[in-house]
Amino acid sequence: MGCCGGRSGARVTNGKPSGCVLCKIWAVLTTEKTPDGEPCVVIPGHIAHKPDPCIYDQFLLMQLGKPVTWDNPDVRIFLGGVEQYTYNLTASTEYDVEITVHNASREKPANQTTVDIAWISFGAGAETRHPVTVASTDVPVWPGTSVVTTKWRTPDVPGHYCIEVVLSHPDDGNPSNNRGWNNTQVFAAQSPVERELRIYNRHPGDCPPVREGGGPVLRPHRVFLGWAPLAAVATLPLTPHGMQGMRYLPSLLALMLIGYVVGSAIGLFAESAYAAMARRRNASRARTLPPPRTDCHLVEIAVDSYEFEDKTGKEFDPAVAFKGRGAIWGAKVEPPSFVFLPGEAFRDVRLLVDAPDDPGPAGTFNVNVWQGGVPSGGATFTITTGG
């Protein structure tokens, strides 16, 4: 083959076909593309081929509108070599966590991929990330995988926690699939039960300003930048019949000035009338239905229960999985409401549960928090009985 594009018989000079530049141009214009791409267009490998370390990423799947499971298939938890059910862990117990890292690239291995592992505790209105370890691993090309293991001691306080895995690589071809979560449930057996919950202040400073007033007021920019210019432009068709005895340009400018003044007058009248009617309407509405106002530092807390079922695929329905019902076992929060002090960042409240002494199914309690009448998140506690 003489040169790229399949032309043969070309004269070769110093190991290269003569006229190869023209040959390439001709081949690009006339030769049909092959399954391997354009023969005369070469992309350097360091640009076209990049590693792509990845993990089962719920956040990417949700952005794509796909159903997810929070029992991450790439995160496994072991105790004494036996794999554990992620929603039935024991408080203050050391487990082995196994992370499977994939590489979606078929061309380049993801060597020296950083694996950042942490566990997350959830408070009302915020979450706290607790580092576990940062490891490095070499992941071969697809379908190769690499396994990273670490120790994790569950918190002393039972509740709902999350293991977070974040991957990073300096030459990652697709960083959007690098973050995965695995939900866990930590149990403890004792009755009665008292647990602390940290409530974070969404407004540690002053409350956001509330707009006062009875309605819209006159907006001059709508008059002088809207009504008036439109009226000035509307005078252009009258230019041929302009002022007698004046030249074309002075006549045009004079008519546009008159139109601008007339448009300003009409705009002032129309905007003033609209603002007056809107103020009267809002004032009448305020007299019949005064808007409720709640202090943004007022916190109200309620407790309910639910039975979580972590189904996979399209069978998972959040409305069903997290559907609340009345709190079992007489659970309550003390205090059920309070007001944040100026500058106070958070406050701890107590969840009190009078759990039965006899063995039985676990109870799950969802603490719902409102601040200033607006939902501010919540936290979940699961408590076993008979211990």
Side-chain angles (χ1 to χ4, degrees):
M1 182 175 292
C3 66
C4 64
R7 291 182 53 122
S8 61
R11 184 166 53 89
V12 178
T13 303
N14 296 328
K16 297 183 179 179
S18 61
C20 192
V21 174
L22 296 177
C23 173
K24 288 182 179 180
I25 296 175
W26 176 258
V28 170
L29 295 176
T30 61
T31 306
E32 293 184 1
K33 294 180 175 59
T34 67
D36 296 327
E38 175 56 57
C40 291
V41 178
V42 179
I43 301 176
H46 70 279
I47 297 178
H49 301 157
K50 287 179 175 289
D52 184 13
C54 59
I55 193 172
Y56 181 85
D57 190 321
Q58 294 95 340
F59 305 94
L60 174 61
L61 294 174
M62 288 189 294
Q63 290 178 357
L64 297 175
K66 305 295 183 180
V68 301
T69 176
W70 297 101
D71 186 3
N72 197 310
D74 290 333
V75 179
R76 304 171 68 191
I77 301 175
F78 295 85
L79 181 62
V82 179
E83 186 172 0
Q84 304 294 301
Y85 179 48
T86 188
Y87 292 108
N88 190 26
L89 305 182
T90 305
S92 191
T93 303
E94 187 174 73
Y95 291 91
D96 294 307
V97 179
E98 180 181 283
I99 311 296
T100 301
V101 183
H102 304 263
N103 183 9
S105 173
R106 297 174 181 264
E107 291 81 17
K108 279 199 172 183
N111 293 335
Q112 297 183 355
T113 296
T114 300
V115 184
D116 189 351
I117 306 171
W119 65 275
I120 297 176
S121 59
F122 298 93
E127 59 189 40
T128 305
R129 190 174 185 273
H130 308 268
V132 175
T133 188
V134 178
S136 179
T137 186
D138 296 338
V139 191
V141 297
W142 186 90
T145 61
S146 178
V147 176
V148 175
T149 59
T150 186
K151 300 287 186 179
W152 175 50
R153 175 171 289 277
T154 53
D156 297 334
V157 178
H160 188 84
Y161 302 96
C162 172
I163 296 176
E164 180 187 57
V165 181
V166 179
L167 309 179
S168 59
H169 191 282
D171 197 29
D172 194 346
N174 180 21
S176 62
N177 54 11
N178 291 6
R179 182 188 180 202
W181 276 19
N182 184 81
N183 281 5
T184 65
Q185 199 71 45
V186 178
F187 292 88
Q190 52 181 309
S191 176
V193 179
E194 180 176 333
R195 293 287 177 262
E196 284 192 350
L197 171 64
R198 177 158 294 182
I199 310 295
Y200 291 89
N201 188 357
R202 298 173 62 243
H203 304 288
D206 296 332
C207 291
V210 179
R211 297 185 63 180
E212 301 287 352
V217 296
L218 180 64
R219 291 166 288 185
H221 68 279
R222 291 175 58 90
V223 175
F224 299 109
L225 299 180
W227 288 84
L230 286 176
V233 173
T235 62
L236 294 179
L238 302 177
T239 303
H241 310 286
M243 300 179 180
Q244 299 294 332
M246 295 183 64
R247 294 182 179 181
Y248 176 79
L249 183 58
S251 176
L252 173 64
L253 295 176
L255 286 173
M256 292 186 67
L257 179 60
I258 294 173
Y260 189 91
V261 174
V262 173
S264 298
I266 295 174
L268 286 171
F269 176 79
E271 292 291 331
S272 299
Y274 169 77
M277 289 186 294
R279 286 195 297 270
R280 285 196 297 269
R281 182 174 61 252
N282 292 347
S284 175
R285 185 182 304 167
R287 286 192 296 269
T288 57
L289 295 174
R293 295 186 178 180
T294 304
D295 183 3
C296 73
H297 296 130
L298 173 63
V299 175
E300 300 170 293
I301 309 170
V303 183
D304 62 17
S305 297
Y306 72 87
E307 183 176 355
F308 179 77
E309 295 182 2
D310 185 29
K311 296 182 178 180
T312 60
K314 296 183 178 179
E315 296 181 355
F316 180 75
D317 185 358
V320 175
F322 296 102
K323 184 177 181 180
R325 55 190 175 92
I328 62 175
W329 304 342
K332 62 180 180 178
V333 172
E334 290 186 354
S337 65
F338 63 87
V339 177
F340 277 117
L341 300 176
E344 188 176 8
F346 60 85
R347 186 178 298 188
D348 294 329
V349 298
R350 293 183 300 163
L351 171 66
L352 304 177
V353 181
D354 187 14
D357 295 326
D358 298 329
T364 301
F365 302 92
N366 194 42
V367 181
N368 304 295
V369 181
W370 291 266
Q371 182 174 349
V374 179
S376 183
T380 301
F381 295 87
T382 301
I383 301 170
T384 59
T385 61

